[in-house]
Amino acid sequence: METSGETLQGWGGTRAAGVEIRSEDLAAITRGAVLTRGLGRSYGDSSLPPPGTHSLPGSALADRILSFDTNSGALRAEAGLSIGEIQRLFLPRKWTFPVLPGTQYVTLGGAVAADIHGKNHHVDGTIGRHVGALLLRVADDSVVRCSRQENYDLFQATLGGMGLTGHILEVEVALKRIPSPWIWRESERISGIDAFIEALAQAARDWPYTVGWMDALAQGASLGRGILIRGRWAEASEAPKKPPRSRPRLQVPFALPGWALNSLSMRAFNTLYFHRHPKHPKRGIVHPESFFHPLDVVRRWNLIYGKRGFTQHQCVLPEKDRPGAAKRYLESLTAGGLGSFLCVIKDCGPEGEGLLSFPRSGISIAVDLPIRARTQETVNELNERVLEAGGRIYLAKDSLSTPEHFRAMEHRLEKFEVVRRRWDPERRLKSAQSVRLLGDSA
Amino acid sequence: MRVVALGATRGMGRALSRLMAERGDLLFLLGRDPKELDKASRDLEIRAGSGLRFGSAHCDLEQPDGFAAALDQAVATLGGLDCVIVSAGVFASQTELEEDPAVARRMLEVNFARTVEFCEHVRRRLLAAGGGRLCVFSSVAGERGRKPVVLYGAAKAGLSCYLEGLDHKFRRLGLVTVCVKPGFVKTGMTAGLEPPPFAGEPKPVARRILRAIDRGTPVVYVPGIWRWIMLVIRHLPRFLMRRLGF
């Protein structure tokens, strides 16, 4: 959804009054500001100003690369540099960003603030694991360096801290060596949720990248059926000689009418998508972008949800401690009757260092929910399932969870607040989301 | 190409210099702030990825005495000169310019007199070398006297006029002039201003400018649609312009 006039929006279409001020000089525009905005790809209200704040600094123009070590892959850059730009520049040189989320339109600052994860979470963890140091403008306006050696509390709280600990100005991250810039991809049909969890666990043993697409509308015996995708960087010998070229983009021209995405069209799409995949496994070399960021090929795809927009509910469920948690979650989803156009499943590895970082070992499920009269109710219901399973939700996607649910899920919140109190005793840094969930004053 | 860029540390100049570095052009940066110049060169070197080093030197449009030396240093470092890009300039709103004569004087001097003076130094050097390209950022503001850009537009009108004359007179001698006329482009310069419809982003705008430089297009509007918008605006009768707010 386009950010227009005096309104800022999250990717799902959550709105707040305000404007974004972008400048190449991020250090200057963050002075005295309450929150920095990146590319606005968080779905909910994490990048929106709290009520009463009119303008937010935007980091996207502060995108200089400050240093790159061609031996170790250590990259230092300003926080507005995007993952897509890093991939465009470095993939042909056989380096990759170590953790690739579902979209490449994420700034380094945004990646750290959400402590993003990707298809390789089970082996490589979140981006935090690959970050060496950060330069932050903290609440008292001073500029502070933090890392595992200095100001570690601030470093830990900033990984996944949703920008509430300071304005991220610079990021040091280690790129990873790859044998070629192409991907060897395999995919196969999976019959149901139990088989899915088993197949993910099995694939995790041999494959660095795994993910599943699920038909969230199938019910009964087909509940949780879908397609498992696994991949690895192709060896130089099996990859095309030329580096991948940038792909042409399609664009959703305007917000589709609200009725365009109804349970019938969603069901048709999902059924078609499932049956289009052959019964036998598919394998071959694919473009890295189609593997990591399939949705990026359609610009403004969020507009298919119409003017009312959508929300994503992403949670991680410790399936080992509570077998059947994922199944119960999907049952609640289908019972809600709202349907989900897109549903993604992934197994996560152990928790990282970030104090509020989302992933922990278990099964992560993400569902897109159109905004309708009963969306709030469905989200509440899903959060009950998450709570029962001892899981948690991903703040970068959230716009509808209640503070009660969030607090009950988040046992680490007090530890985070301790660090926040130390660096920002007056709670000057805040967002629309922190006002909603953490009780910050507007 | 061996390129000298004045104003490549920010905005459209930054985007343009990145495109040139990535395709293998050799750059030398001129600007006011040594720290910024240093960061810009490092950024370009890493993006180029070829191991080439890009030099830089101090050059301030407000200090014309330094123009010759800065250009000499650039030419010496590059081992010659094929192209010069001038995207530096100052911007202020009509209100600021009306209220403070000092701000107005500085804007008029930098955007017109000093820029022309700098281009004259470039002209001599490029003609002596047998030709080359001079790409200068003017503005659509210089197309017509308009209420929100009375002073800024006047300076840019003068600059556009100079560049056109230069092109007419010297193109057959090998000096190709490219006058860039940006409409609204979302850079740090326009931060805080409400973007009008058809506002552009630095990257696609830079691609269009680079094509114009390569082809030797004398005038290029960016984003392209501003060519048609300005065509209409140039032909609006005065009585209508007087009534309109833009």
Side-chain angles (χ1 to χ4, degrees):
Chain A
M1 262 136 263
E2 196 108 291
T3 292
S4 63
E6 303 277 288
T7 321
L8 292 172
Q9 299 195 1
W11 184 243
T14 316
R15 276 166 248 252
V19 290
E20 179 184 332
I21 309 269
R22 285 185 180 179
S23 164
E24 291 87 352
D25 193 348
L26 187 58
I29 54 175
T30 49
R31 216 165 276 130
V34 302
L35 183 76
T36 296
R37 201 173 143 88
L39 286 170
R41 281 297 179 119
S42 57
Y43 286 54
D45 51 4
S46 348
S47 77
L48 298 181
T53 298
H54 183 65
S55 81
L56 292 185
S59 68
L61 291 176
D63 62 347
R64 277 184 303 209
I65 302 171
L66 301 168
S67 68
F68 180 67
D69 184 329
T70 48
N71 295 312
S72 70
L75 176 90
R76 194 162 64 85
E78 292 174 327
L81 183 67
S82 77
I83 294 176
E85 185 75 350
I86 293 174
Q87 294 301 84
R88 188 181 69 76
L89 290 166
F90 290 97
L91 271 186
R93 300 179 213 175
K94 297 183 185 169
W95 290 101
T96 183
F97 199 65
V99 169
L100 294 162
T103 175
Q104 63 193 306
Y105 303 117
V106 174
T107 61
L108 283 176
V112 169
D115 198 15
I116 55 158
H117 61 277
K119 297 172 174 58
N120 57 346
H121 188 267
H122 60 286
V123 282
D124 289 323
T126 61
I127 191 61
R129 200 192 284 181
H130 311 272
V131 171
L134 300 168
L135 196 67
L136 286 186
R137 179 182 292 289
V138 289
D140 70 1
D141 268 351
S142 61
V143 174
V144 175
R145 210 180 117 91
C146 65
S147 67
R148 287 179 186 82
Q149 285 76 42
E150 48 188 324
N151 300 316
Y152 183 55
D153 63 335
L154 184 63
F155 183 77
Q156 260 190 309
T158 302
L159 299 177
M162 303 314 289
L164 299 172
T165 55
H167 304 276
I168 302 171
L169 302 177
E170 289 176 20
V171 176
E172 248 178 76
V173 61
L175 302 192
K176 226 171 118 171
R177 260 277 175 228
I178 47 175
S180 87
W182 294 87
I183 289 286
W184 176 268
R185 174 189 192 268
E186 296 191 5
S187 59
E188 65 175 301
R189 276 197 202 174
I190 303 292
S191 59
I193 182 65
D194 293 333
F196 228 134
I197 293 169
E198 176 51 36
L200 278 168
Q202 207 175 353
R205 281 178 219 130
D206 306 317
W207 295 84
Y209 299 105
T210 65
V211 71
W213 164 85
M214 236 174 4
D215 176 357
L217 295 155
Q219 294 181 12
S222 300
L223 182 79
R225 74 173 176 188
I227 291 161
L228 174 78
I229 298 155
R230 44 187 186 249
R232 57 171 170 78
W233 293 101
E235 292 303 323
S237 55
E238 48 186 11
K241 293 277 166 295
K242 284 191 175 165
R245 297 171 56 143
S246 69
R247 300 186 309 161
R249 297 283 196 272
L250 307 165
Q251 177 163 310
V252 179
F254 49 82
L256 297 189
W259 47 261
L261 218 60
N262 53 45
S263 61
L264 203 72
S265 63
M266 284 196 276
R267 196 178 297 273
F269 173 84
N270 276 274
T271 307
L272 211 69
Y273 196 86
F274 180 77
H275 286 288
R276 221 194 53 176
H277 192 282
K279 286 205 176 89
H280 55 83
K282 241 169 57 172
R283 30 181 78 91
I285 300 284
V286 296
H287 195 291
E289 202 180 299
S290 77
F291 183 77
F292 291 109
H293 321 293
L295 291 175
D296 282 351
V297 80
V298 184
R299 275 197 194 128
R300 310 201 294 173
W301 62 262
N302 52 353
L303 293 182
I304 65 169
Y305 287 92
K307 288 213 171 91
R308 276 184 290 178
F310 70 111
T311 185
Q312 188 175 87
H313 192 261
Q314 181 167 6
C315 64
V316 57
L317 306 162
E319 182 72 24
K320 279 221 174 67
D321 312 343
R322 309 279 163 89
K327 193 173 176 190
R328 287 190 290 277
Y329 178 88
L330 289 178
E331 280 165 354
S332 281
L333 178 72
T334 44
L338 208 52
S340 171
F341 185 55
L342 198 74
C343 177
V344 175
I345 181 168
K346 161 80 195 142
D347 56 331
C348 290
E351 197 168 280
E353 295 159 274
L355 292 184
L356 274 192
S357 173
F358 162 68
R360 52 153 296 161
S361 47
I363 294 289
S364 163
I365 299 178
V367 295
D368 285 357
L369 305 170
I371 300 293
R372 298 283 184 272
R374 57 183 187 280
T375 309
Q376 179 68 58
E377 202 183 316
T378 305
V379 168
N380 291 349
E381 194 60 32
L382 293 175
N383 278 336
E384 286 292 328
R385 297 294 89 72
V386 175
L387 206 51
E388 282 162 21
R392 62 171 79 120
I393 55 160
Y394 191 10
L395 289 177
K397 309 289 178 75
D398 186 59
S399 58
L400 291 177
S401 293
T402 63
E404 292 74 24
H405 272 141
F406 179 69
R407 282 168 185 282
M409 285 172 204
E410 215 30 277
H411 308 294
R412 305 169 301 170
L413 194 55
E414 186 42 39
K415 229 174 147 187
F416 177 76
E417 293 289 15
V418 167
V419 181
R420 221 177 145 204
R421 274 197 290 277
R422 184 174 311 143
W423 289 92
D424 183 10
E426 293 155 37
R427 284 189 177 237
R428 290 184 46 212
L429 305 178
K430 55 194 171 186
S431 66
Q433 189 171 59
S434 79
V435 169
R436 176 170 60 89
L437 289 179
L438 305 184
D440 291 350
S441 62
Chain B
M1 282 202 293
R2 291 161 297 183
V3 184
V4 172
L6 173 62
T9 54
R10 290 167 169 248
M12 289 179 271
R14 176 191 282 190
L16 181 59
S17 62
R18 282 176 176 173
L19 288 182
M20 296 183 108
E22 280 176 35
R23 73 173 192 179
D25 291 334
L26 189 59
L27 287 112
F28 190 94
L29 308 186
L30 299 179
R32 277 184 302 182
D33 184 338
K35 259 195 196 154
E36 286 293 300
L37 284 171
D38 216 43
K39 281 187 177 175
S41 332
R42 290 296 90 73
D43 177 62
L44 291 173
E45 285 164 7
I46 297 165
R47 285 168 185 267
S50 53
L52 288 177
R53 298 299 301 265
F54 297 152
S56 63
H58 178 264
C59 182
D60 184 345
L61 277 177
E62 292 184 80
Q63 297 168 19
D65 293 344
F67 292 171
L71 281 166
D72 286 342
Q73 192 186 336
V75 174
T77 311
L78 293 170
L81 187 60
D82 303 305
C83 177
V84 176
I85 295 164
V86 184
S87 56
V90 295
F91 180 78
S93 72
Q94 178 61 21
T95 325
E96 290 168 284
L97 292 165
E98 278 173 9
E99 279 168 5
D100 190 340
V103 175
R105 186 194 308 130
R106 173 168 180 258
M107 189 283 297
L108 289 168
E109 275 182 10
V110 168
N111 287 359
F112 178 66
R114 299 297 163 247
T115 303
V116 169
E117 201 173 338
F118 181 82
C119 291
E120 285 294 286
H121 282 272
V122 173
R123 174 181 64 79
R124 276 178 225 116
R125 279 167 178 76
L126 284 176
L127 285 173
R133 272 143 221 274
L134 171 62
C135 169
V136 185
F137 284 57
S138 184
S139 169
V140 296
E143 298 278 277
R144 186 93 201 250
R146 290 189 291 125
K147 291 174 188 171
V149 285
V150 175
L151 286 154
Y152 182 77
K156 290 297 191 180
L159 180 60
S160 298
C161 188
Y162 162 75
L163 293 168
E164 183 180 350
L166 209 58
D167 192 52
H168 292 324
K169 181 163 183 194
F170 296 107
R171 188 170 276 248
R172 58 179 185 85
L173 297 176
L175 175 61
V176 173
T177 307
V178 176
C179 174
V180 182
K181 296 184 177 175
F184 194 99
V185 179
K186 294 179 200 163
T187 64
M189 188 186 99
T190 54
L193 302 178
E194 165 111 13
F198 313 117
E201 300 283 345
K203 226 187 200 178
V205 155
R207 271 195 289 271
R208 191 171 155 83
I209 297 169
L210 185 54
R211 204 164 48 227
I213 294 173
D214 289 342
R215 290 182 184 166
T217 315
V219 176
V220 58
Y221 291 87
V222 288
I225 188 155
W226 286 86
R227 177 181 176 182
W228 309 110
I229 298 172
M230 294 323 290
L231 183 75
V232 172
I233 290 182
R234 273 202 309 274
H235 288 93
L236 288 180
R238 289 185 79 106
F239 77 88
L240 215 85
M241 284 302 285
R242 193 165 289 135
R243 259 170 232 188
L244 292 175
F246 61 85

